[in-house]
Amino acid sequence: MKIFLGQLKFDINRIFIRNFSFLFFSLLMPAGFYLLFTKVMITGTGTEVQKFQLTYMGSMIIYSGIISAIFGIASLLKTDRDKGFLCFLQLTPHKTKYYYFSIYMLIILLNLVASIVLQMIAVVFNGVKINFTQVLQCMLIVVIGQLPMVLLGTCLSYLKKQETLNVVSNVIVFPLAIVSGLWWPLSVMPTWLQKIGQVMPTFFANDLLSEVLLGEKLKLTNFIGMIIWIVLGLIGVAVVLRFYRKQELSS
Amino acid sequence: MNKIVTTRQLKFSYGKKEVLKNVNLTINSGEIIGLTGENGAGKTTLLNALLGLLPSNGQVEILGGKPGGKKARQKIGSMLQGDMVLDNVTVIEMLNEAASQYDEPLDVEELLQKVDLKKHENKLLKNLSGGLMRRVTFAVALVGNPDLLFLDEPTVGMDAQARKVFWQRIEDLRDAGKTVMITSHYLEEIQQTADRLLILQNGVLTFQGTLQELQNKYKKTVIRFKTKLALKKFQKMAAVISSAQTDAEWICLNSEDGDETLKALVPFLGEISNISVQRESLENIFLKMTNEEELA
């Protein structure tokens, strides 16, 4: 436990406290988007506006999760590996288990903080009503919904060049956000794109959040969809790791 | 002395390229070992295989277990090539992080003093010079209080003062009974510190022994002395003398075997003075060995 707490303190300092840009993109940017879209660029009847203020809050929570997982985890793991830190830990008695646990936990915690910050903004600035149970349910969905993203970030961290990682991260994050309806409703997109969007992990998480916030019945298909993505993510990490080791030994 | 590292027929290949070829070596407890060889000879690969970072063929026993085993990880410190210049991390945070990974680490404050980093402890790693960063990496290798240390090109980028501090710490480690294996291209430094030398050439361990043993293998020696006797008295004194020159009262003998020539000089001891014996330096021997390999 002492080792884990030490690792946590070390990572909090370098990832959050001395890294304002990461907090800005993961926390403040989604909050800014939320305020912009719900206070300035909004039309519709009172009920429609209220519904949009709730569902868009959910979308921005998921968007924050994608940013911290893809840009945060992928870049952090890659940098630590390239700079020999993971190799150093691999040679210590406890290897890398506390390291990975600390990094994943902090990124998920950051997404939980983003979820609370966004809910507070929604309550204070837009007067939306969310009860305690909904807050807890949202947190649970955030944690489960973040897992496929974290695994995807881990896979991306094995890309050889930092430049490639930057390009691939951008190519994934923004289209993924758009296609799964985080920025604009899926209904405004062509049918074929909607079909793609509806099987994305971010769509399942976003849909579940909307159901919780609007007080609707939770669809089992969304849970199944997320579990399938978690399993695919685990398989992806195993395959990438195997490929990486093989490549390392042949060059 | 206890054998702390033993390899038998150790082999490793990157794809089809054989990098280590049947390496048999032994390292005894408390020894300072200098590992040298040309770029690409396999030094780093050998260290990585001993650390368990690479899966190798052949037998490797390290601290009574397998490379990379839990006991080895607890008792081995390593300083690999390249430094862990992590973003947003200070020197003291890096050392505390490293210390927290071990059961019985050294006191970080004391270590900072020892490696002359105390005044830099609150600096971010990314703001350190290359030499200072190398010192941090050395401190990280020491912080777990290891019995066995692997240091890969440890003094690269260090200035003369830092190098001096570094070699003093190696002497401290020797006094504390620690075992150290150092790879370096600074042969004169290795020559001064190492108890034994290992020379790797193209993946083959071509020499394993003391500097004296290596010099005996390459016995070429220059013997210089002052005398009033004629040069010709010394020219045919021993068959091993390859050439002789004179300059005023000085005579310089180039010998293929220094010990034989010195023995032959004994009858003249009353008539010669200021004798100096210059054996082949490790650098010259190393250059000869690599030239021989190229010619072969």
Side-chain angles (χ1 to χ4, degrees):
Chain A
M1 192 62 183
K2 199 179 153 195
I3 303 168
F4 177 63
L5 291 177
Q7 186 67 51
L8 217 51
K9 189 181 162 195
F10 177 75
D11 289 329
I12 287 172
N13 269 330
R14 68 190 185 120
I15 301 170
F16 300 143
I17 295 177
R18 296 203 189 101
N19 194 1
F20 177 74
S21 63
F22 182 59
L23 285 183
F24 173 80
F25 285 109
S26 303
L27 215 62
L28 298 181
M29 203 167 83
F33 274 134
Y34 177 70
L35 282 174
L36 180 74
F37 277 84
T38 57
K39 296 297 275 185
V40 184
M41 302 160 72
I42 187 164
T43 51
T45 64
T47 324
E48 282 170 348
V49 168
Q50 219 174 10
K51 192 178 166 189
F52 181 71
Q53 284 168 339
L54 275 170
T55 53
Y56 200 66
M57 180 187 76
S59 297
M60 286 301 104
I61 292 173
I62 300 299
Y63 179 61
S64 163
I66 308 179
I67 299 266
S68 51
I70 308 286
F71 285 118
I73 286 208
S75 175
L76 190 67
L77 294 186
K78 172 154 183 61
T79 310
D80 285 349
R81 192 176 300 114
D82 290 351
K83 291 187 174 176
F85 184 50
L86 289 179
C87 179
F88 162 73
L89 290 175
Q90 192 63 27
L91 294 171
T92 61
H94 305 285
K95 292 194 165 184
T96 47
K97 62 181 172 193
Y98 292 114
Y99 166 85
Y100 281 112
F101 197 40
S102 159
I103 297 287
Y104 291 148
M105 202 180 112
L106 285 176
I107 294 296
I108 290 173
L109 266 177
L110 178 69
N111 203 203
L112 286 175
V113 171
S115 128
I116 291 165
V117 167
L118 279 159
Q119 288 179 57
M120 281 165 64
I121 289 173
V123 171
V124 173
F125 291 96
N126 290 333
V128 301
K129 289 186 175 64
I130 314 164
N131 63 38
F132 187 62
T133 315
Q134 283 174 310
V135 172
L136 289 182
Q137 286 175 323
C138 282
M139 288 170 90
L140 185 69
I141 291 163
V142 163
V143 172
I144 301 169
Q146 182 79 327
L147 293 178
M149 295 294 102
V150 161
L151 293 168
L152 180 59
T154 307
C155 288
L156 293 179
S157 75
Y158 285 95
L159 284 168
K160 228 173 186 175
K161 291 181 182 171
Q162 185 66 44
E163 295 79 10
T164 316
L165 174 62
N166 294 341
V167 172
V168 173
S169 298
N170 280 299
V171 164
I172 289 178
V173 168
F174 299 109
L176 184 65
I178 293 168
V179 89
S180 46
L182 300 185
W183 282 359
W184 299 285
L186 265 187
S187 52
V188 301
M189 290 173 207
T191 320
W192 64 270
L193 201 57
Q194 284 184 39
K195 281 184 180 162
I196 294 173
Q198 282 163 357
V199 292
M200 292 292 118
T202 37
F203 171 83
F204 295 126
N206 190 33
D207 208 33
L208 272 174
L209 275 186
S210 297
E211 286 161 8
V212 165
L213 293 165
L214 297 175
E216 294 170 358
K217 197 182 167 203
L218 304 184
K219 284 190 221 104
L220 187 64
T221 48
N222 285 331
F223 282 110
I224 294 171
M226 284 214 291
I227 289 166
I228 289 172
W229 273 105
I230 292 170
V231 173
L232 286 175
L234 287 169
I235 294 169
V237 170
V239 170
V240 166
L241 200 62
R242 202 178 160 86
F243 180 73
Y244 175 77
R245 284 198 181 138
K246 209 172 167 185
Q247 213 180 27
E248 226 185 9
L249 292 176
S250 63
S251 58
Chain B
M1 278 197 279
N2 284 337
K3 284 179 185 171
I4 205 166
V5 178
T6 315
T7 72
R8 292 276 171 271
Q9 306 291 309
L10 175 65
K11 291 177 196 169
F12 179 78
S13 303
Y14 282 112
K16 285 180 182 170
K17 193 188 171 202
E18 249 188 309
V19 184
L20 296 177
K21 300 165 188 168
N22 298 323
V23 174
N24 297 313
L25 67 86
T26 306
I27 300 174
N28 299 310
S29 172
E31 277 188 314
I32 309 287
I33 298 286
L35 172 63
T36 194
E38 284 184 297
N39 290 332
K43 302 184 295 293
T44 300
T45 305
L46 176 59
L47 285 197
N48 286 340
L50 294 178
L51 285 165
L53 289 171
L54 295 173
S56 47
N57 288 325
Q59 279 185 316
V60 184
E61 194 177 298
I62 194 156
L63 293 159
K66 283 182 181 174
K70 187 154 187 185
K71 190 181 173 194
R73 295 200 308 274
Q74 188 68 257
K75 295 287 176 191
I76 293 176
S78 58
M79 180 180 183
L80 303 180
Q81 282 182 31
D83 297 309
M84 291 181 282
V85 194
L86 301 183
D87 289 336
N88 308 316
V89 175
T90 65
V91 171
I92 194 156
E93 284 169 354
M94 187 71 226
L95 287 181
N96 281 328
E97 160 74 1
S100 72
Q101 307 294 326
Y102 296 92
D103 293 344
E104 292 168 1
L106 296 177
D107 182 84
V108 169
E109 286 294 324
E110 272 179 35
L111 184 60
L112 282 167
Q113 300 277 9
K114 269 189 182 173
V115 292
D116 208 9
L117 279 171
K118 182 67 188 156
K119 59 177 181 271
H120 305 288
E121 66 176 2
N122 291 316
K123 282 186 185 166
L124 289 173
L125 298 177
K126 64 180 175 188
N127 294 337
L128 297 181
S129 66
L132 277 177
M133 194 54 228
R134 208 73 194 120
R135 264 192 263 175
V136 174
T137 308
F138 180 47
V140 167
L142 292 178
V143 78
N145 196 14
D147 289 339
L148 173 61
L149 265 161
F150 290 110
L151 309 174
D152 196 1
E153 301 288 351
T155 54
V156 168
M158 284 186 188
D159 60 22
Q161 177 60 26
R163 288 232 288 272
K164 195 177 159 195
V165 171
F166 171 82
W167 289 109
Q168 279 168 354
R169 294 292 79 84
I170 297 295
E171 287 300 333
D172 293 347
L173 291 168
R174 183 207 300 280
D175 294 343
K178 309 284 186 183
T179 311
V180 186
M181 186 176 192
I182 308 170
T183 76
S184 179
H185 286 295
Y186 296 109
L187 300 177
E188 71 283 4
E189 291 179 339
I190 283 198
Q191 183 174 336
Q192 281 167 20
T193 314
D195 299 318
R196 279 200 304 135
L197 297 167
L198 305 179
I199 298 179
L200 256 184
Q201 288 180 279
N202 199 19
V204 180
L205 196 60
T206 51
F207 179 78
Q208 188 174 179
T210 63
L211 178 63
Q212 180 74 41
E213 285 166 349
L214 185 65
Q215 283 172 325
N216 285 344
K217 201 174 166 190
Y218 290 82
K219 290 176 175 173
K220 205 164 183 181
T221 308
V222 178
I223 300 167
R224 208 162 174 264
F225 52 86
K226 222 171 170 182
T227 183
K228 285 182 178 161
L229 297 173
L231 176 68
K232 63 181 179 187
K233 275 194 177 282
F234 301 98
Q235 272 172 327
K236 289 176 183 175
M237 181 183 68
V240 288
I241 294 172
S242 52
S243 65
Q245 298 97 38
T246 181
D247 178 13
E249 289 186 329
W250 288 94
I251 285 182
C252 184
L253 304 175
N254 293 309
S255 166
E256 297 300 323
D257 186 338
D259 294 340
E260 279 299 308
T261 310
L262 284 171
K263 275 182 208 163
L265 273 176
V266 172
F268 302 99
L269 281 180
E271 293 172 87
I272 60 177
S273 62
N274 299 70
I275 304 174
S276 72
V277 179
Q278 196 185 342
R279 287 181 184 272
E280 283 276 41
S281 68
L282 178 56
E283 192 155 340
N284 279 344
I285 293 173
F286 178 71
L287 286 171
K288 272 185 188 166
M289 287 177 79
T290 47
N291 282 342
E292 279 170 13
E293 189 199 23
E294 275 168 24
L295 289 172

